[in-house]
Amino acid sequence: MYERQIMNVIEKSIIGKKCQEACEDGLVVTDDFIAVIDGSTSKTPKHLNPEMKNGCYAMMLISQYIQHELKADATVDDFCQGITHYICDKVYKPLGVAERLLQHPEERLTASAVIYSRARQEVWMVGDCQALIGGKLYENGKPYEQEIAEKRVDLIKEGKLPAEARRQIEPLLVEAMLSGQNKTYTVIDGFPIYREGIKVVSVSSSETVSASSEIVLASDGYPFLKPTLAESEEALANQIANDPQNISCFIATKGLVEGNKSFDDRTYIRFLP
């Protein structure tokens, strides 16, 4: 029998790249799970909920599922199957869009999540996210993004404005989604999740807890994840100041957009398991 206990959170933060109201990141803390959820930036103007972007809608549904539906002793496979059915049954089937979305992954509700299970003593990395466990960095990025990011860098170095360079690589990002989403890389999108793209890290093994018993979970809004929130924020501030278009020491598919405070929404939580 698994006995519920209160999570020991040391520090946490969630900050939108432009404002809190438009933030597509989410943070869930229950007696059984801690989760950082990163709603994906929409690649299409079509919204399945007219009141919010698809990434935000995906984040909200995943948050609801973890808080109200996910059983304390669930496995990572239980989570993947459960959240897939939840999104499909709650949204796709009532709207009658499941068949269309089968062919158009760019229109799906899409997100990544990194989840700590207290019962399983595991961290589940379902999509593009990051964690520090026992002082060791774990990442689970999309395999195609580095190559496309380098194309963007080349365009900017050739003299293209950052906004134009981004526009030119967007078709490549959509093409990568069409060919690879839940086929060669993992996301949560209401369709069967590509299991081979999930990383599961045991936090009870001696190897992962040798440096520290603390765990940090974060979205990819932090280009350099550090053991504390202050250090992570400082590294981000230095990146924004020294390389705002992410074309030098940190290469990405997007840089700082005028009017935004950072490259992406960002969420951080540090806790004791």
Side-chain angles (χ1 to χ4, degrees):
M1 179 67 69
Y2 173 64
E3 185 175 333
R4 291 183 171 220
Q5 301 176 43
I6 297 173
M7 296 285 194
N8 187 354
V9 175
I10 300 168
E11 58 180 351
K12 59 183 178 178
S13 176
I14 179 166
I15 302 172
K17 61 179 177 284
K18 186 172 186 179
C19 63
Q20 293 303 93
E21 293 75 19
C23 184
E24 295 178 286
D25 275 10
L27 180 61
V28 175
V29 180
T30 73
D31 292 345
D32 303 302
F33 301 99
I34 290 179
V36 169
I37 306 160
D38 183 357
S40 300
T41 302
S42 295
K43 306 296 187 298
T44 170
K46 293 186 178 182
H47 296 168
L48 297 184
N49 183 330
E51 296 182 359
M52 67 185 76
K53 293 180 179 179
N54 287 344
C56 187
Y57 196 14
M59 177 272 290
M60 289 180 62
L61 289 166
I62 297 165
S63 298
Q64 291 170 8
Y65 179 78
I66 294 171
Q67 291 178 74
H68 304 298
E69 304 288 336
L70 191 58
K71 294 182 179 179
D73 61 350
T75 65
V76 65
D77 292 314
D78 293 334
F79 168 75
C80 290
Q81 293 165 15
I83 189 58
T84 295
H85 289 303
Y86 190 77
I87 292 173
C88 190
D89 293 345
K90 285 272 186 180
V91 182
Y92 297 167
K93 287 182 179 178
L95 291 177
V97 296
E99 285 299 319
R100 174 176 174 78
L101 295 181
L102 186 63
Q103 304 300 325
H104 292 275
E106 75 277 10
E107 296 179 10
R108 298 175 192 169
L109 304 180
T110 304
S112 298
V114 55
I115 304 166
Y116 167 70
S117 163
R118 183 188 284 275
R120 297 284 168 182
Q121 287 289 287
E122 293 174 341
V123 170
W124 308 333
M125 307 184 78
V126 189
D128 192 355
C129 46
Q130 51 186 337
L132 281 172
I133 304 170
K136 181 178 178 180
L137 176 65
Y138 293 85
E139 298 176 290
N140 197 27
K142 298 183 181 71
Y144 64 83
E145 280 206 339
Q146 188 65 23
E147 182 179 348
I148 297 177
E150 288 171 359
K151 289 182 183 295
R152 173 181 167 272
V153 170
D154 291 340
L155 288 167
I156 291 173
K157 288 182 176 179
E158 289 169 5
K160 294 284 191 304
L161 293 174
E164 175 59 27
R166 172 68 185 187
R167 276 193 293 272
Q168 289 196 24
I169 67 164
E170 280 179 350
L172 298 176
L173 293 170
V174 172
E175 182 182 339
M177 292 177 69
L178 291 169
S179 62
Q181 184 158 311
N182 275 328
K183 296 175 184 176
T184 61
Y185 70 90
T186 296
V187 292
I188 301 165
D189 66 356
F191 285 82
I193 292 172
Y194 176 61
R195 182 62 176 83
E196 288 76 6
I198 297 171
K199 285 186 179 179
V200 177
V201 184
S202 171
V203 303
S204 59
S205 70
S206 58
E207 180 183 351
T208 54
V209 298
S210 58
S212 167
S213 60
E214 295 178 354
I215 296 174
V216 174
L217 307 181
S219 63
D220 63 356
Y222 286 100
F224 308 103
L225 189 60
K226 302 294 182 180
T228 69
L229 177 59
E231 290 173 298
S232 299
E233 285 288 329
E234 182 181 9
L236 174 62
N238 288 337
Q239 178 65 22
I240 292 171
N242 299 321
D243 183 21
Q245 286 305 317
N246 294 329
I247 60 172
S248 183
C249 59
F250 175 72
I251 294 175
T253 58
K254 56 187 174 184
L256 188 65
V257 174
E258 187 176 354
N260 287 0
K261 302 170 186 175
S262 186
F263 315 116
D264 204 351
D265 301 326
R266 60 193 190 272
T267 301
Y268 181 107
I269 184 165
R270 178 161 63 105
F271 60 95
L272 288 167

